[in-house]
Each structure stands twice: as C-alpha cells, then as structure tokens.
Amino acid sequence: AEVARERAEGQSVKADRSLTARLVLELLGRPIRRRLGLDRLLSVYSAAAALPEEVQYFFEGLGLPIRQAWGLTETFGAGAAQSVDELRAGLVGAAHEGVEIRLAPDGEILVRGDCVFPGYWRRPEQTRMALDAEGFLHTGDLGELLSDGRLRIVDRKSSCLALSTGRKVWPQRMELALRASPLVADAVALGNGQARPALLVALDPEEVRGRIPNGGDAPELDPSISAEIQRRVDRFNASVAKADRIGAWRIVRGAFPDSVYTSTRKIRRDVFVETFADEIARLYEDNARISA
C-alpha cells in the first residue's frame, strides 16, 4: 500500500521496496484474487461515498485496482471517473465524454450535458433551484478542479462547519482520516460556533476484541486504542493548514444509535448534535485549549 501511494504521488521507489511490493503482489495478491474469483478483474469502481485513501492503496497493492467515480441520480449516473490506468486516491477523475463540469464561486460543482435531467416531477420550484438559466445542474457537492481537469470531491455544501473564527471547514476529510483506522466504526466532526473542529468517535467492537483479548469494560479508555486514534489525528493535522486541524476528539461508549443515521447510513448532523449534546459539551470543556 505504501509503495502504491508513492507511485501514485510520483515519488521514486527504492529497488528493494519495489521488489518487496512485487513479491506481495505475486505471492499474496494472486492467490487471494483467484480464491475470490477476481483473477480476471480489470477494474472495479467505487461510488456513492468517498473511498478512504488507505483502502484504495491497500487493494492496489494486492492487484485489485479500485477506481473512484462520481455522479448523481439527476445526471443518470454520469459525471466523472478515474481511468483504469489512473491511480491517485482522493480524486474522482475527469468528466465523462459529453459532460461539462465547472465550479461556482463558492466551490459548488455544476454539471451540464445531455445526461442532466429536465426537472423534478411536479416540483417546479425545486427544479428552478436545481437548474440555472445556462442549463447547469447545481449538485450541492463542493469540489476542486485540478489543472488537468480532474475532479476532487470536498464535501456536501450542506455539511459545512462554520467556526467562531469565521472560517468554514468541511468534515468529510477529517472523518475519513479517522474511519481509515480498523478500530473506528464511525467518526463525526463538529465545530459550528467553536474555534476548532472536533470529533466524536465510535469504536468497532470486533476489532476492539481483537486488540483487547479480555474485551475490557471500557475500551474507550484503553491507552493503546487512544494512541492509535491520536496517531491518525496527528497524521491528518500534519497534512492540512493549522486552522483546519482537528482540535480535540473523544471516543463515545458503544456505537452511534440508528436514530442519527438516514436510511442510507448518512449522518443526520442536527439529530447527532442533539443526541450527543452532553458529550459534545464535555469534549469542548475538557479541551478548552483548542480555542487557542
């Protein structure tokens, strides 16, 4: 996975590491692919939600190339996708043929093309809000366009966290950074009206049992687990501007309740904040330094 990352980022890979990666691919990856019936797989696409970088690079290291794609129901699934031979985690690739993508001044992704729907059934007002006079669909997703036209999804426009400093941050990247740990079942970023973003974390019980053989009455207090979460936080913070760094985090006891999720397992942030109001208050009280 590390070698796959280095190659995707254009770094030079030392010969011994390249050889090791090749041996893993042949001696471990090939049997796994064959046993799964995926030995003739050319490529597989992931969509609907962002794919953590570690996941994409891990499967690349086993010879299972996962590529990312992005689209909407309103565009009949068309949008952007990585090509089969392209690997750079965090991107969804270039626009499909016949699809025009541009960014609004606030970063919202706009799409135009024959794939775009004519409107919502019997909802003219909602249609007027979605489609502008130039025929561009306002997707509600925020993105960045690289100089070569490839697209990166930042987050949903509605997910923005407005900090007390006036800065706006989007939770998806920091949540993905924590969810990349096998120990983490889910993580939710907070911060509206606060000086810095913070996260609440729910642990994966099966992974915890593997790390703590006796199970433990309070795995959220186990030092080894806390250390693993902190490593993930430190790695994320080192990759972003100081104002966008995670200021604090807290592991909750048990799983997040079903009530904070939609039917498609997306977080209902307003319900989440209400459900965990006490935890959030303690998080910021215990970490008053994050206002610095």
Side-chain angles (χ1 to χ4, degrees):
E2 292 172 357
V3 169
R5 176 189 292 275
E6 292 168 3
R7 287 172 175 162
E9 295 176 352
Q11 302 179 36
S12 59
V13 181
K14 293 182 178 179
D16 59 336
R17 287 169 52 75
S18 180
L19 177 59
T20 300
R22 184 66 185 176
L23 288 172
V24 170
L25 183 65
E26 293 298 323
L27 300 180
L28 185 62
R30 187 182 295 275
I32 288 175
R33 297 197 306 273
R34 186 169 57 250
R35 290 291 296 273
L36 292 174
L38 300 176
D39 49 314
R40 292 186 294 166
L41 178 71
L42 176 63
S43 186
V44 59
Y45 280 83
S46 171
L51 184 67
E53 291 187 7
E54 287 81 358
V55 173
Q56 192 167 5
Y57 289 134
F58 173 80
F59 281 102
E60 184 76 15
L62 290 178
L64 292 169
I66 300 179
R67 299 297 179 259
Q68 297 199 67
W70 170 85
L72 292 82
T73 303
E74 290 89 342
T75 64
F76 201 64
Q82 291 183 307
S83 63
V84 172
D85 58 355
E86 173 193 3
L87 174 65
R88 184 173 170 187
L91 301 182
V92 294
H96 290 135
E97 184 177 353
V99 176
E100 183 181 355
I101 293 177
R102 68 165 62 163
L103 300 182
D106 63 356
E108 183 178 9
I109 302 170
L110 311 181
V111 178
R112 182 168 65 181
D114 292 341
C115 63
V116 175
F117 79 147
Y120 295 105
W121 176 250
R122 293 181 177 175
R123 294 184 180 179
E125 186 58 33
Q126 192 173 350
T127 298
R128 281 192 293 271
M129 292 175 62
L131 296 170
D132 64 25
E134 295 182 79
F136 278 97
L137 170 69
H138 291 240
T139 65
D141 284 333
L142 294 170
E144 297 173 353
L145 280 172
L146 275 62
S147 58
D148 60 6
R150 290 183 296 170
L151 179 67
R152 173 188 288 113
I153 306 299
V154 174
D155 212 326
R156 287 292 295 171
K157 189 175 179 179
S158 58
S159 298
C160 171
L161 301 176
L163 305 183
S164 61
T165 59
R167 189 175 181 88
K168 294 181 178 180
V169 297
W170 284 267
Q172 180 172 272
R173 281 190 65 195
M174 57 186 78
E175 291 171 348
L176 284 174
L178 272 291
R179 290 173 188 157
S181 169
L183 285 169
V184 176
D186 208 349
V188 176
L190 315 152
N192 279 323
Q194 302 290 344
R196 288 279 191 87
L199 286 100
L200 288 183
V201 178
L203 298 176
D204 184 308
E206 291 188 11
E207 190 69 25
V208 167
R209 282 193 291 271
R211 300 287 184 97
I212 309 175
N214 296 327
D217 295 329
E220 67 274 11
L221 302 178
D222 185 272
S224 66
I225 291 178
S226 297
E228 162 68 10
I229 303 300
Q230 188 61 54
R231 281 194 294 271
R232 297 282 174 170
V233 170
D234 291 343
R235 180 175 176 179
F236 172 82
N237 284 348
S239 69
V240 298
K242 183 177 180 180
D244 296 333
R245 291 174 184 170
I246 299 169
W249 56 270
R250 187 186 188 94
I251 301 173
V252 303
R253 189 174 181 85
F256 295 154
D258 289 339
S259 60
V260 304
Y261 293 97
T262 67
S263 58
T264 56
R265 300 301 289 178
K266 292 182 174 64
I267 287 290
R268 301 163 63 191
R269 293 187 182 273
D270 53 341
V271 176
F272 186 93
V273 170
E274 182 179 347
T275 302
F276 288 96
D278 292 341
E279 288 274 6
I280 295 169
R282 284 197 295 271
L283 172 63
Y284 278 98
E285 288 171 3
D286 295 345
N287 296 274
R289 67 182 183 278
I290 70 175
S291 62

